[in-house]
Amino acid sequence: MKKVLTLTLFAAILFGSCEKEGKQTTSQEISRNRVIVLPSDGKAGNSTILLVNLGHDGKTCKGCIWDGGRLIHENCMGDGNYCAKTAAVQLQQIGSEIFATTTDTFDLTSEDFFLMPDRSLSYTGEKGSSVFLNIPEQLVYRDTATLQFTFTGLFFSETAAYSNN
């Protein structure tokens, strides 16, 4: 049943009626979509912070998320650059797949789901090179035990894979 609900919600996102806002790129928006790695002195490793602009005004959206049998709008989720969000995450690579699991509980949202738009976050690599951490659009659900979100399908590239609008 959970898989059917997830597939239904995913289909609603793909075919939903949300309008994409026009691209309004400013230097603040570009610098806001980035990854910051904070070094740690302990054995826990580095802390990774994602800074991202997302979401859009509810006045222009008839609904982006399928909830309880109807499309609804949730502020600070989905396409756009309406809200500035920060999330502490743990990046993990298993084989060729990269995952990001939140380490903070409610920084993104207090809801049990989060609609992450596709985003390319600028990042300075180990050798000082400029790279991007790319996160494909996805609807994620809070883990019932840990209360964290896990984003999948992340990848690094030398150029931005997404336009961030």
Side-chain angles (χ1 to χ4, degrees), residues 38-135:
L38 304 173
S40 174
D41 293 333
K43 293 182 179 181
N46 296 334
S47 296
T48 304
I49 309 295
L50 304 181
L51 303 170
V52 62
N53 284 346
L54 48 81
H56 51 275
D57 188 348
K59 294 175 189 171
T60 61
C61 178
K62 296 176 183 174
C64 301
I65 300 169
W66 190 259
D67 184 45
R70 62 188 175 92
L71 282 174
I72 62 167
H73 170 80
E74 280 291 331
N75 289 327
C76 301
M77 290 189 196
D79 291 327
N81 291 300
Y82 193 71
C83 302
K85 290 289 188 173
T86 303
V89 299
Q90 178 183 9
L91 292 176
Q92 183 178 18
Q93 184 168 355
I94 300 174
S96 62
E97 294 195 51
I98 300 172
F99 304 89
T101 301
T102 57
T103 58
D104 48 19
T105 307
F106 296 106
D107 281 354
L108 289 175
T109 183
S110 59
E111 298 291 338
D112 289 334
F113 57 87
F114 186 74
L115 176 56
M116 178 69 188
D118 48 18
R119 286 291 178 263
S120 293
L121 310 177
S122 62
Y123 174 72
T124 302
E126 293 174 6
K127 298 178 182 178
S129 60
S130 181
V131 295
F132 290 87
L133 173 62
N134 301 290
I135 306 171

